[in-house]
Coordinates of all heavy atoms in Angstrom, one line a residue:
M1 N 125.6 -73.2 238.1 CA 125.3 -71.9 238.6 C 126.5 -71.5 239.5 O 127.1 -72.3 240.1 CB 124.0 -71.9 239.3 CG 124.0 -72.6 240.6 SD 122.3 -72.8 241.3 CE 121.9 -74.4 240.7
A2 N 126.8 -70.2 239.5 CA 127.8 -69.7 240.4 C 127.2 -69.6 241.8 O 126.0 -69.4 241.9 CB 128.3 -68.3 239.9
C3 N 128.0 -69.8 242.8 CA 127.5 -69.7 244.2 C 128.5 -69.0 245.0 O 129.6 -68.8 244.6 CB 127.2 -71.1 244.7 SG 128.6 -72.2 244.8
D4 N 128.1 -68.7 246.2 CA 128.9 -68.0 247.2 C 128.8 -68.8 248.5 O 127.7 -69.1 248.9 CB 128.4 -66.6 247.4 CG 129.3 -65.8 248.4 OD1 130.1 -66.4 249.1 OD2 129.1 -64.6 248.4
F5 N 129.9 -69.2 249.1 CA 129.9 -70.0 250.3 C 129.2 -69.2 251.5 O 128.7 -69.8 252.4 CB 131.3 -70.4 250.8 CG 131.9 -71.4 249.9 CD1 133.0 -71.2 249.2 CD2 131.3 -72.7 249.9 CE1 133.5 -72.2 248.4 CE2 131.9 -73.7 249.1 CZ 133.0 -73.4 248.4
G6 N 129.2 -67.9 251.4 CA 128.6 -67.0 252.4 C 129.4 -66.9 253.7 O 130.5 -67.5 253.8
G7 N 128.8 -66.3 254.7 CA 129.5 -66.2 255.9 C 130.8 -65.4 255.9 O 131.7 -65.6 256.7
G8 N 130.9 -64.5 255.0 CA 132.2 -63.7 254.9 C 133.3 -64.4 254.3 O 134.5 -63.9 254.4
S9 N 133.1 -65.5 253.7 CA 134.2 -66.2 253.0 C 134.7 -65.5 251.8 O 134.0 -64.7 251.2 CB 133.8 -67.6 252.6 OG 132.8 -67.6 251.6
S10 N 136.0 -65.7 251.4 CA 136.5 -65.0 250.3 C 136.7 -65.9 249.1 O 137.8 -65.9 248.5 CB 137.9 -64.3 250.7 OG 138.8 -65.3 251.1
E11 N 135.7 -66.6 248.7 CA 135.8 -67.5 247.5 C 134.4 -67.7 247.0 O 133.4 -67.4 247.6 CB 136.4 -68.8 247.8 CG 135.7 -69.7 248.8 CD 136.1 -69.5 250.2 OE1 137.2 -68.9 250.5 OE2 135.4 -70.0 251.0
S12 N 134.3 -68.1 245.7 CA 133.1 -68.4 245.1 C 133.2 -69.9 244.6 O 134.2 -70.4 244.7 CB 132.7 -67.5 244.0 OG 133.7 -67.5 243.0
C13 N 132.1 -70.4 244.1 CA 132.1 -71.8 243.8 C 131.2 -72.1 242.6 O 130.5 -71.2 242.1 CB 131.7 -72.7 245.0 SG 130.1 -72.2 245.7
I14 N 131.2 -73.3 242.2 CA 130.3 -73.8 241.1 C 129.4 -74.9 241.6 O 129.8 -75.9 242.2 CB 131.1 -74.4 239.9 CG1 132.1 -73.3 239.4 CG2 130.2 -75.0 238.8 CD1 131.4 -72.2 238.7
D15 N 128.1 -74.7 241.5 CA 127.1 -75.8 241.8 C 126.4 -76.1 240.5 O 126.4 -75.4 239.5 CB 126.0 -75.2 242.8 CG 126.5 -75.2 244.2 OD1 127.5 -75.7 244.5 OD2 125.8 -74.5 245.0
W16 N 125.7 -77.3 240.4 CA 125.0 -77.7 239.3 C 123.9 -78.7 239.6 O 123.9 -79.3 240.7 CB 125.9 -78.3 238.2 CG 126.6 -79.6 238.6 CD1 127.7 -79.7 239.4 CD2 126.2 -80.9 238.4 NE1 128.0 -81.0 239.6 CE2 127.1 -81.8 239.0 CE3 125.1 -81.5 237.7 CZ2 127.0 -83.1 239.0 CZ3 125.0 -82.8 237.7 CH2 126.0 -83.7 238.3
I17 N 122.9 -78.7 238.8 CA 121.8 -79.7 238.9 C 121.5 -80.2 237.5 O 121.8 -79.6 236.5 CB 120.5 -79.1 239.5 CG1 120.0 -77.9 238.6 CG2 120.8 -78.6 240.9 CD1 118.6 -77.4 239.1
Q18 N 120.9 -81.4 237.4 CA 120.4 -82.0 236.2 C 119.0 -82.3 236.3 O 118.6 -83.0 237.3 CB 121.2 -83.2 235.8 CG 120.8 -83.8 234.5 CD 121.6 -85.1 234.1 OE1 122.6 -85.4 234.7 NE2 121.2 -85.7 233.1
V19 N 118.2 -81.8 235.4 CA 116.7 -81.9 235.5 C 116.3 -82.7 234.2 O 116.6 -82.3 233.1 CB 116.0 -80.6 235.6 CG1 114.5 -80.7 235.6 CG2 116.5 -79.8 236.8
D20 N 115.5 -83.7 234.3 CA 114.9 -84.4 233.2 C 113.6 -83.8 232.9 O 112.7 -83.7 233.7 CB 114.7 -85.9 233.6 CG 114.1 -86.7 232.5 OD1 113.8 -86.2 231.4 OD2 113.9 -87.9 232.6
V21 N 113.5 -83.2 231.7 CA 112.3 -82.5 231.2 C 111.6 -83.3 230.1 O 110.7 -82.8 229.4 CB 112.6 -81.1 230.7 CG1 113.1 -80.2 231.9 CG2 113.6 -81.1 229.6
S22 N 111.9 -84.6 230.0 CA 111.3 -85.4 228.9 C 109.9 -85.8 229.2 O 109.1 -86.2 228.3 CB 112.2 -86.6 228.6 OG 112.2 -87.5 229.7
G23 N 109.5 -85.8 230.5 CA 108.1 -86.2 230.8 C 107.2 -85.0 231.0 O 107.5 -83.9 230.7
P24 N 106.0 -85.3 231.5 CA 105.0 -84.2 231.7 C 105.4 -83.2 232.8 O 105.0 -82.0 232.7 CB 103.7 -84.9 232.0 CG 104.1 -86.2 232.6 CD 105.4 -86.6 231.9
S25 N 106.2 -83.6 233.7 CA 106.7 -82.7 234.8 C 108.2 -82.9 234.9 O 108.7 -84.0 234.8 CB 106.1 -83.1 236.1 OG 104.7 -83.0 236.1
P26 N 108.9 -81.8 235.2 CA 110.4 -81.9 235.4 C 110.7 -82.7 236.6 O 110.0 -82.7 237.6 CB 110.8 -80.4 235.6 CG 109.7 -79.6 235.1 CD 108.5 -80.4 235.3
V27 N 111.8 -83.5 236.5 CA 112.3 -84.4 237.6 C 113.7 -84.1 237.9 O 114.5 -84.1 236.9 CB 112.1 -85.9 237.2 CG1 112.6 -86.8 238.3 CG2 110.6 -86.2 237.0
L28 N 114.1 -83.9 239.1 CA 115.5 -83.7 239.5 C 116.2 -85.0 239.4 O 115.9 -86.0 240.1 CB 115.6 -83.1 240.9 CG 117.0 -82.9 241.4 CD1 117.7 -81.9 240.6 CD2 117.0 -82.5 242.9
E29 N 117.2 -85.1 238.5 CA 118.0 -86.3 238.3 C 119.2 -86.4 239.2 O 119.4 -87.4 239.8 CB 118.5 -86.4 236.8 CG 117.4 -86.6 235.8 CD 116.9 -88.0 235.8 OE1 117.7 -88.9 235.9 OE2 115.7 -88.1 235.7
Q30 N 119.9 -85.3 239.3 CA 121.1 -85.3 240.2 C 121.5 -83.8 240.5 O 121.1 -82.9 239.7 CB 122.2 -86.1 239.6 CG 122.7 -85.6 238.3 CD 123.8 -86.5 237.7 OE1 124.7 -86.8 238.5 NE2 123.8 -86.8 236.5
Q31 N 122.3 -83.6 241.5 CA 122.7 -82.3 241.8 C 124.0 -82.3 242.6 O 124.4 -83.3 243.2 CB 121.7 -81.5 242.6 CG 121.4 -82.1 244.0 CD 120.3 -81.3 244.8 OE1 119.7 -80.4 244.2 NE2 120.1 -81.7 246.0
Q32 N 124.7 -81.3 242.5 CA 126.0 -81.0 243.3 C 125.8 -79.6 243.8 O 125.9 -78.7 243.1 CB 127.2 -81.2 242.4 CG 128.5 -80.8 243.1 CD 128.8 -81.7 244.2 OE1 128.9 -82.9 244.1 NE2 129.1 -81.2 245.4
T33 N 125.6 -79.5 245.1 CA 125.5 -78.2 245.7 C 126.5 -78.1 246.9 O 127.1 -79.1 247.3 CB 124.0 -78.0 246.3 OG1 123.8 -79.0 247.2 CG2 123.0 -78.0 245.1
G34 N 126.6 -76.9 247.4 CA 127.5 -76.6 248.4 C 129.0 -76.4 247.9 O 129.9 -76.5 248.7
G35 N 129.1 -76.2 246.7 CA 130.4 -75.9 246.1 C 131.1 -77.1 245.5 O 131.9 -77.7 246.1
A36 N 130.7 -77.4 244.3 CA 131.4 -78.5 243.6 C 132.9 -78.3 243.5 O 133.7 -79.2 243.7 CB 130.8 -78.7 242.2
Y37 N 133.2 -77.1 243.2 CA 134.6 -76.6 243.2 C 134.6 -75.3 243.9 O 133.9 -74.4 243.6 CB 135.2 -76.5 241.8 CG 135.4 -77.9 241.2 CD1 134.5 -78.4 240.3 CD2 136.5 -78.6 241.6 CE1 134.7 -79.7 239.8 CE2 136.7 -79.9 241.1 CZ 135.8 -80.4 240.2 OH 136.0 -81.6 239.7
G38 N 135.6 -75.1 244.7 CA 135.8 -73.8 245.4 C 136.9 -74.0 246.5 O 137.0 -75.1 247.1
S39 N 137.7 -73.0 246.6 CA 138.8 -73.1 247.6 C 139.1 -71.7 248.1 O 138.8 -70.7 247.4 CB 140.0 -73.9 247.1 OG 140.4 -73.3 245.9
A40 N 139.8 -71.6 249.2 CA 140.2 -70.3 249.8 C 140.8 -69.4 248.8 O 141.8 -69.8 248.0 CB 141.0 -70.5 251.0
D41 N 140.3 -68.2 248.7 CA 140.9 -67.1 247.9 C 140.9 -67.4 246.4 O 141.7 -66.8 245.7 CB 142.3 -66.7 248.4 CG 142.3 -66.3 249.8 OD1 141.4 -65.5 250.2 OD2 143.2 -66.7 250.6
E42 N 140.1 -68.3 245.9 CA 139.9 -68.5 244.5 C 138.4 -68.2 244.1 O 137.5 -68.4 244.9 CB 140.2 -70.0 244.1 CG 141.6 -70.3 244.2 CD 141.9 -71.7 243.7 OE1 140.9 -72.5 243.5 OE2 143.0 -72.0 243.4
F43 N 138.2 -67.7 242.9 CA 136.9 -67.3 242.5 C 136.6 -68.0 241.2 O 137.4 -68.0 240.3 CB 136.9 -65.8 242.3 CG 137.2 -65.0 243.6 CD1 138.5 -64.7 243.8 CD2 136.2 -64.7 244.5 CE1 138.9 -64.0 245.0 CE2 136.6 -64.1 245.7 CZ 137.9 -63.7 245.9
R44 N 135.4 -68.6 241.1 CA 134.9 -69.3 239.9 C 133.6 -68.6 239.5 O 132.7 -68.4 240.3 CB 134.7 -70.7 240.2 CG 136.0 -71.5 240.4 CD 135.8 -72.8 241.1 NE 137.0 -73.5 241.2 CZ 138.0 -73.3 242.1 NH1 137.8 -72.4 243.1 NH2 139.1 -74.0 242.2
Y45 N 133.5 -68.2 238.3 CA 132.4 -67.4 237.8 C 132.1 -67.6 236.3 O 132.9 -68.2 235.6 CB 132.5 -65.9 238.1 CG 133.9 -65.4 237.8 CD1 134.1 -64.8 236.6 CD2 134.9 -65.4 238.8 CE1 135.4 -64.2 236.3 CE2 136.2 -64.9 238.5 CZ 136.4 -64.3 237.3 OH 137.6 -63.8 237.0
Y46 N 131.0 -67.2 235.8 CA 130.5 -67.3 234.4 C 130.5 -68.8 234.0 O 131.0 -69.2 233.0 CB 131.4 -66.5 233.5 CG 131.4 -65.1 233.8 CD1 132.7 -64.4 233.9 CD2 130.3 -64.3 233.9 CE1 132.7 -63.1 234.2 CE2 130.3 -62.9 234.2 CZ 131.6 -62.3 234.3 OH 131.6 -61.0 234.6
P47 N 129.9 -69.7 234.8 CA 129.8 -71.1 234.4 C 128.8 -71.3 233.2 O 127.9 -70.6 233.1 CB 129.3 -71.8 235.7 CG 128.5 -70.7 236.4 CD 129.1 -69.4 236.1
D48 N 129.1 -72.3 232.5 CA 128.2 -72.8 231.5 C 128.3 -74.3 231.5 O 129.2 -74.9 232.0 CB 128.5 -72.2 230.1 CG 129.9 -72.5 229.6 OD1 130.5 -73.6 230.0 OD2 130.4 -71.8 228.8
I49 N 127.2 -74.9 231.0 CA 127.1 -76.4 231.0 C 126.6 -76.9 229.7 O 125.8 -76.2 229.0 CB 126.2 -76.9 232.2 CG1 126.3 -78.4 232.4 CG2 124.8 -76.4 232.0 CD1 125.7 -78.9 233.7
S50 N 127.0 -78.1 229.3 CA 126.5 -78.7 228.1 C 126.4 -80.2 228.4 O 127.2 -80.8 229.0 CB 127.6 -78.5 227.0 OG 127.1 -79.1 225.8
V51 N 125.3 -80.7 227.8 CA 125.0 -82.2 228.0 C 124.8 -82.7 226.6 O 124.0 -82.2 225.8 CB 123.7 -82.4 228.8 CG1 123.4 -83.9 228.9 CG2 123.8 -81.7 230.2
D52 N 125.5 -83.8 226.3 CA 125.3 -84.4 224.9 C 124.2 -85.4 224.9 O 123.6 -85.7 225.9 CB 126.7 -84.9 224.4 CG 127.2 -86.2 225.2 OD1 126.4 -86.8 226.0 OD2 128.4 -86.5 225.0
R53 N 124.0 -86.1 223.8 CA 122.9 -87.0 223.6 C 123.1 -88.3 224.5 O 122.2 -89.0 224.7 CB 122.7 -87.4 222.2 CG 123.8 -88.1 221.6 CD 123.5 -88.5 220.1 NE 124.6 -89.1 219.5 CZ 125.3 -88.6 218.4 NH1 124.9 -87.5 217.9 NH2 126.3 -89.2 217.9
N54 N 124.3 -88.5 225.0 CA 124.6 -89.7 225.8 C 124.6 -89.3 227.3 O 125.0 -90.1 228.1 CB 126.0 -90.3 225.5 CG 126.0 -90.8 224.1 OD1 125.1 -91.4 223.6 ND2 127.1 -90.5 223.3
N55 N 124.1 -88.1 227.6 CA 124.1 -87.6 229.0 C 125.4 -87.4 229.7 O 125.5 -87.4 230.9 CB 123.1 -88.4 229.9 CG 121.7 -88.2 229.6 OD1 121.3 -87.1 229.2 ND2 120.9 -89.2 229.6
N56 N 126.5 -87.2 228.9 CA 127.7 -86.8 229.4 C 127.7 -85.3 229.6 O 127.0 -84.5 228.8 CB 128.9 -87.1 228.4 CG 129.0 -88.6 228.1 OD1 128.9 -89.4 229.1 ND2 129.1 -88.9 226.9
I57 N 128.3 -84.8 230.7 CA 128.2 -83.4 231.0 C 129.6 -82.7 231.0 O 130.6 -83.3 231.4 CB 127.7 -83.2 232.5 CG1 126.2 -83.8 232.6 CG2 127.7 -81.8 232.9 CD1 125.7 -83.9 234.0
A58 N 129.6 -81.5 230.4 CA 130.8 -80.7 230.4 C 130.5 -79.3 231.0 O 129.4 -78.8 230.7 CB 131.4 -80.5 229.0
I59 N 131.3 -78.8 232.0 CA 131.1 -77.6 232.6 C 132.3 -76.7 232.4 O 133.4 -77.2 232.8 CB 130.8 -77.7 234.1 CG1 129.5 -78.5 234.3 CG2 130.6 -76.3 234.8 CD1 129.2 -78.8 235.8
G60 N 132.2 -75.5 231.9 CA 133.3 -74.6 231.7 C 133.0 -73.4 232.6 O 131.9 -73.0 232.8
Y61 N 134.1 -72.8 233.1 CA 134.0 -71.6 233.9 C 135.3 -70.8 234.0 O 136.3 -71.3 233.5 CB 133.5 -72.0 235.3 CG 134.3 -73.1 236.0 CD1 135.5 -72.8 236.7 CD2 134.0 -74.4 235.7 CE1 136.2 -73.9 237.3 CE2 134.7 -75.4 236.3 CZ 135.8 -75.2 237.0 OH 136.6 -76.2 237.6
T62 N 135.2 -69.6 234.5 CA 136.4 -68.8 234.6 C 136.9 -68.9 236.1 O 136.0 -68.9 237.0 CB 136.1 -67.3 234.3 OG1 135.5 -67.3 233.0 CG2 137.3 -66.5 234.4
R63 N 138.2 -69.0 236.3 CA 138.7 -69.1 237.7 C 139.8 -68.1 237.8 O 140.6 -67.9 236.9 CB 139.3 -70.5 237.9 CG 139.7 -70.6 239.4 CD 140.2 -72.0 239.7 NE 141.6 -72.2 239.3 CZ 142.3 -73.2 239.6 NH1 141.8 -74.3 240.1 NH2 143.6 -73.3 239.3
S64 N 139.8 -67.4 238.9 CA 140.9 -66.4 239.2 C 141.2 -66.4 240.7 O 140.5 -66.9 241.5 CB 140.5 -65.0 238.7 OG 139.4 -64.5 239.5
A65 N 142.4 -65.8 241.0 CA 142.8 -65.6 242.3 C 143.8 -64.4 242.3 O 144.3 -64.0 241.3 CB 143.5 -66.9 242.9
S66 N 144.1 -64.0 243.5 CA 145.1 -62.8 243.6 C 146.5 -63.2 243.2 O 147.3 -62.4 242.8 CB 145.1 -62.3 245.0 OG 145.6 -63.3 245.9
T67 N 146.8 -64.5 243.1 CA 148.1 -65.0 242.8 C 148.2 -65.6 241.4 O 149.3 -66.0 241.0 CB 148.6 -66.0 243.8 OG1 147.6 -67.1 243.8 CG2 148.7 -65.4 245.2
T68 N 147.1 -65.6 240.6 CA 147.1 -66.2 239.3 C 146.3 -65.3 238.3 O 145.5 -64.5 238.8 CB 146.5 -67.6 239.3 OG1 145.1 -67.5 239.7 CG2 147.3 -68.5 240.2
Y69 N 146.6 -65.5 237.1 CA 145.8 -64.8 236.0 C 144.5 -65.5 235.9 O 144.4 -66.7 236.1 CB 146.6 -64.7 234.7 CG 147.8 -63.9 234.7 CD1 149.0 -64.4 234.7 CD2 147.6 -62.5 234.7 CE1 150.2 -63.6 234.7 CE2 148.7 -61.7 234.7 CZ 150.0 -62.2 234.7 OH 151.1 -61.4 234.7
T70 N 143.5 -64.8 235.4 CA 142.2 -65.3 235.1 C 142.4 -66.3 233.9 O 143.1 -66.0 233.0 CB 141.2 -64.2 234.7 OG1 141.1 -63.3 235.8 CG2 139.9 -64.8 234.4
D71 N 141.7 -67.4 234.0 CA 141.8 -68.5 233.0 C 140.5 -69.3 232.9 O 139.7 -69.2 233.8 CB 143.0 -69.4 233.4 CG 143.6 -70.1 232.2 OD1 143.1 -70.0 231.0 OD2 144.6 -70.7 232.3
V72 N 140.4 -70.0 231.9 CA 139.2 -70.9 231.7 C 139.5 -72.3 232.1 O 140.6 -72.8 231.8 CB 138.8 -70.9 230.2 CG1 137.6 -71.9 230.0 CG2 138.4 -69.5 229.7
W73 N 138.6 -72.9 232.9 CA 138.8 -74.2 233.4 C 137.6 -75.0 233.0 O 136.5 -74.5 232.8 CB 138.9 -74.2 234.9 CG 140.2 -73.6 235.4 CD1 140.6 -72.3 235.4 CD2 141.3 -74.4 235.8 NE1 141.9 -72.2 235.8 CE2 142.4 -73.5 236.1 CE3 141.6 -75.7 236.1 CZ2 143.6 -73.8 236.6 CZ3 142.8 -76.1 236.6 CH2 143.8 -75.2 236.8
I74 N 137.7 -76.4 233.0 CA 136.6 -77.2 232.7 C 136.6 -78.4 233.6 O 137.6 -78.8 234.2 CB 136.6 -77.7 231.2 CG1 137.9 -78.5 230.9 CG2 136.5 -76.6 230.3 CD1 137.9 -79.3 229.6
T75 N 135.4 -79.0 233.7 CA 135.3 -80.3 234.4 C 134.1 -81.0 233.7 O 133.5 -80.5 232.8 CB 135.0 -80.1 235.9 OG1 134.9 -81.4 236.5 CG2 133.7 -79.4 236.2
G76 N 133.7 -82.2 234.2 CA 132.6 -82.8 233.6 C 132.4 -84.2 234.2 O 133.1 -84.6 235.2
R77 N 131.5 -84.9 233.6 CA 131.3 -86.3 234.1 C 130.7 -87.1 232.9 O 130.0 -86.5 232.0 CB 130.4 -86.4 235.3 CG 129.0 -85.9 235.0 CD 128.0 -86.1 236.2 NE 127.9 -87.4 236.7 CZ 127.2 -88.4 236.2 NH1 126.4 -88.1 235.1 NH2 127.1 -89.6 236.7
E78 N 131.0 -88.4 232.8 CA 130.4 -89.2 231.9 C 129.2 -89.9 232.5 O 129.1 -89.9 233.7 CB 131.4 -90.3 231.4 CG 132.5 -89.8 230.6 CD 133.5 -90.8 230.1 OE1 133.2 -92.1 230.3 OE2 134.4 -90.5 229.4
F79 N 128.3 -90.3 231.7 CA 127.0 -90.9 232.2 C 127.2 -92.0 233.2 O 126.5 -92.1 234.1 CB 126.2 -91.4 231.0 CG 124.9 -92.0 231.4 CD1 123.8 -91.2 231.8 CD2 124.7 -93.3 231.3 CE1 122.6 -91.8 232.2 CE2 123.5 -93.9 231.7 CZ 122.5 -93.1 232.2
S80 N 128.3 -92.8 233.0 CA 128.6 -93.9 233.8 C 129.2 -93.5 235.1 O 129.4 -94.4 236.0 CB 129.5 -94.9 233.1 OG 130.7 -94.3 232.7
D81 N 129.7 -92.3 235.3 CA 130.2 -91.8 236.6 C 129.2 -91.8 237.7 O 128.0 -91.7 237.4 CB 130.8 -90.4 236.5 CG 132.1 -90.4 235.6 OD1 132.6 -91.5 235.3 OD2 132.5 -89.3 235.2
P82 N 129.6 -91.9 239.0 CA 128.6 -91.9 240.0 C 127.8 -90.6 240.0 O 128.3 -89.5 239.7 CB 129.5 -91.9 241.3 CG 130.8 -92.5 240.9 CD 130.9 -92.1 239.4
L83 N 126.5 -90.7 240.3 CA 125.6 -89.6 240.3 C 126.1 -88.5 241.3 O 126.6 -88.8 242.3 CB 124.2 -90.0 240.7 CG 123.4 -90.8 239.7 CD1 122.0 -91.2 240.3 CD2 123.2 -90.1 238.4
G84 N 126.0 -87.2 240.9 CA 126.4 -86.1 241.8 C 127.9 -85.9 241.8 O 128.3 -85.1 242.6
S85 N 128.6 -86.6 241.0 CA 130.1 -86.4 241.0 C 130.6 -85.6 239.7 O 129.9 -85.7 238.7 CB 130.8 -87.7 241.1 OG 130.6 -88.5 239.9
L86 N 131.7 -85.0 239.8 CA 132.4 -84.4 238.7 C 133.9 -84.8 238.7 O 134.4 -85.1 239.8 CB 132.3 -82.9 238.8 CG 131.0 -82.2 238.6 CD1 131.1 -80.7 238.9 CD2 130.4 -82.5 237.2
R87 N 134.5 -84.9 237.6 CA 135.9 -85.2 237.5 C 136.7 -84.0 237.9 O 136.3 -82.9 238.0 CB 136.2 -85.6 236.1 CG 135.5 -86.9 235.8 CD 135.9 -87.5 234.5 NE 135.2 -88.8 234.3 CZ 135.6 -89.7 233.5 NH1 136.6 -89.5 232.7 NH2 134.9 -90.9 233.4
P88 N 138.0 -84.2 238.2 CA 138.9 -83.1 238.6 C 138.9 -82.0 237.5 O 138.8 -82.3 236.3 CB 140.3 -83.8 238.7 CG 140.0 -85.2 239.0 CD 138.7 -85.5 238.2
E89 N 139.0 -80.8 237.9 CA 139.0 -79.7 237.0 C 140.4 -79.6 236.3 O 141.4 -79.9 236.9 CB 138.7 -78.3 237.7 CG 139.7 -78.0 238.8 CD 139.2 -76.7 239.5 OE1 138.3 -76.0 239.2 OE2 139.9 -76.4 240.6
I90 N 140.3 -79.2 235.0 CA 141.6 -79.0 234.3 C 141.5 -77.7 233.5 O 140.4 -77.1 233.3 CB 141.8 -80.1 233.2 CG1 140.6 -80.3 232.3 CG2 142.1 -81.4 234.0 CD1 140.9 -81.3 231.2

């Protein structure tokens, strides 16, 4: 999900959660909140997420700033990576 740091900051960020819906009630598996990616004067928006059958995660989003053109960036994690972590964005 796209997020805003708030407090008059001039950037946006990407947060995510993983919910297990295989049982009778949804269970929060892991989350990254507070801005998984975000930095001064950069904007990240239109995120999407995909999870494969091995529980590897890919997140794509648009990033822009006043000094760069808008472009598509990605990050993700493999199932064996530490919970709540993402790899560096590319």
